[in-house]
Amino acid sequence: MNPASVPDFTIQSLILNADPVVQGVMAMLVLASLACWAIIIEKSILFGRLKREARSLAALAASGAIQPPEGDAAKDSLSGAVLRAGLPEWREGRDQHESAGEFRDRLERAMRAAVTATLRRAEPGLPLLATIGSVSPFVGLFGTVWGIMHSFFGIAAKQDTGLATVAPGIAEALFATAIGLVAAIPAVIAYNRYSIGLSRIRQEALGAAASLASRLARRPAVLDGRRKAGESA
């Protein structure tokens, strides 16, 4: 066989010689893969920070401290958001018609809302991972079907069913499926990992908020404030 007649199956050749529709599918899948990895890197950093903040909040609840953390970074942290939500309710004190349990529930609701609002900011990007993971294989399959169909048209036009005629078009078509899987597999793994991780962080933070609310409910904020005022006078 003449070496010049051997098809070129390099990645560059598969992309450049593919049908324009298949090339468009490949470009979309490559962009989806890049977006997937950008989200993975960003979420890895973010979730690492949230895990540390959830542990810090749990340690704060265990120690019974009620002073919000200082510094700009600490103010934006999970523990800072929880204390900023709960301390105003605590300083307002227990209403005379409010039971101890109702006072504790009011503190806990405020802190739980802060946890939910803070962790909700970590959710953007996860739906895109789920979409990439579920749609990319089908987009790649569309490119494969289109490429094989285009190969059959070429066979009919050349009236040649030899392997040298069929193989390049089929290889280009299957390459689209391969790119779809390359985009989908990391997206599915990352989505499952981050969804479970976010659920665990939420549970730990909500448990710490409930413990902190229970501790605060047993401390008379109004009396403490009057005592401090009397001492200063």
Side-chain angles (χ1 to χ4, degrees):
M1 180 181 292
N2 185 4
S5 63
V6 177
D8 184 5
F9 290 108
T10 61
I11 293 178
Q12 181 180 1
S13 176
L14 292 175
I15 296 175
L16 296 178
N17 296 329
D19 181 80
V21 175
V22 179
Q23 288 179 340
V25 169
M26 291 179 181
M28 289 175 56
L29 293 174
V30 169
L31 290 176
S33 181
L34 293 175
C36 170
W37 282 106
I39 294 173
I40 289 174
I41 294 172
E42 187 265 337
K43 294 302 177 187
S44 296
I45 298 172
L46 176 60
F47 275 63
R49 178 173 60 82
L50 287 176
K51 287 179 182 178
R52 292 191 297 270
E53 291 179 359
R55 296 192 192 103
S56 176
L57 180 61
L60 190 69
S63 66
I66 60 173
Q67 186 64 29
E70 299 179 354
D72 294 337
K75 290 179 180 179
D76 295 333
S77 66
L78 185 59
S79 56
V82 169
L83 286 177
R84 284 199 306 274
L87 287 182
E89 297 287 341
W90 175 68
R91 292 193 179 102
E92 183 179 335
R94 174 180 163 187
D95 189 85
Q96 59 180 351
H97 301 296
E98 190 177 39
S99 67
E102 291 172 340
F103 180 46
R104 184 187 65 250
D105 291 341
R106 175 157 61 88
L107 293 175
E108 185 175 347
R109 282 196 303 271
M111 293 182 177
R112 289 172 66 93
V115 170
T116 302
T118 301
L119 295 184
R120 188 177 293 123
R121 295 199 293 268
E123 294 178 356
L126 296 183
L128 182 58
L129 285 179
T131 301
I132 292 174
S134 60
V135 173
S136 292
F138 296 101
V139 175
L141 182 60
F142 168 76
T144 298
V145 171
W146 186 277
I148 292 176
M149 184 175 63
H150 185 262
S151 296
F152 284 143
F153 289 154
I155 292 172
K158 294 181 180 179
Q159 296 183 352
D160 183 5
T161 59
L163 185 61
T165 302
V166 178
I170 294 179
E172 295 160 6
L174 293 176
F175 187 59
T177 298
I179 297 178
L181 295 176
V182 168
I185 292 174
V188 172
I189 294 174
Y191 175 77
N192 292 333
R193 178 183 177 185
Y194 294 139
S195 296
I196 295 173
L198 185 61
S199 177
R200 290 175 178 172
I201 293 171
R202 181 179 287 109
Q203 290 175 0
E204 183 176 4
L206 291 177
S211 176
L212 188 58
S214 180
R215 283 180 173 273
L216 288 176
R218 295 194 296 267
R219 301 180 64 169
V222 175
L223 293 180
D224 286 349
R226 291 175 179 174
R227 187 179 297 113
K228 291 180 179 179
E231 291 175 356
S232 62

